Amino acid sequence: MARIRPARNDGSSKDDGGENTPPPPPARARRGKGGASKNAPQAPRPKPAPQRAKAGSVTKEVQDKRSSSRFISDVMAELRKVQWPTRAQLIQSTAVVILVVAIVTIYLDIVDNIVGRIVHAIF
């Protein structure tokens, strides 16, 4: 793709096409691993408070029972959303599967007989 240049502002004859570009911002001072600067004192980081169990919280066993019953109810909800095939579609799909299996069976039987005869003739 072609790059589109911005219009020239002042018509100067710089090497960069006459564009006026602002000077780059001044470089920032690098920070050390500790943060602000080497001479500044550092405050210790506060430690997170330990998590305590809430009064009246649900036990692990009850949570497991709820999750399994919730899973079952979610499965039931998803099965209600399924668009089940009609009887005619089911019969047609079953016939296609049986026909394909019969064709593949006949093909493999023919190939097996040919390869068997070839192997029997060699040995």
Side-chain angles (χ1 to χ4, degrees):
M1 294 186 127
R3 185 174 152 198
I4 300 172
R5 286 191 210 166
R8 294 184 185 178
N9 293 338
D10 63 344
S12 65
S13 61
K14 288 184 176 180
D15 289 339
D16 64 351
E19 297 176 9
N20 285 336
T21 57
R28 293 183 181 180
R30 288 189 137 196
R31 293 184 182 186
K33 287 185 180 179
S37 69
K38 293 180 181 177
N39 297 335
Q42 297 177 2
R45 288 186 174 179
K47 294 183 180 179
Q51 298 285 333
R52 289 187 288 176
K54 296 178 184 176
S57 65
V58 180
T59 63
K60 185 72 173 167
E61 182 181 344
V62 173
Q63 283 180 342
D64 288 343
K65 286 182 183 177
R66 284 185 183 171
S67 65
S68 63
S69 64
R70 183 174 180 192
F71 173 75
I72 299 295
S73 64
D74 287 347
V75 168
M76 298 288 282
E78 289 298 321
L79 286 176
R80 283 187 210 106
K81 295 178 187 177
V82 172
Q83 182 179 355
W84 297 101
T86 62
R87 186 172 186 89
Q89 290 172 335
L90 186 65
I91 291 172
Q92 182 181 8
S93 298
T94 305
V96 168
V97 168
I98 291 173
L99 181 67
V100 168
V101 167
I103 291 171
V104 170
T105 303
I106 292 169
Y107 171 76
L108 289 177
D109 185 47
I110 292 170
V111 170
D112 183 46
N113 283 330
I114 292 172
V115 172
R117 289 180 186 185
I118 292 173
V119 169
H120 187 66
I122 292 174
F123 298 109

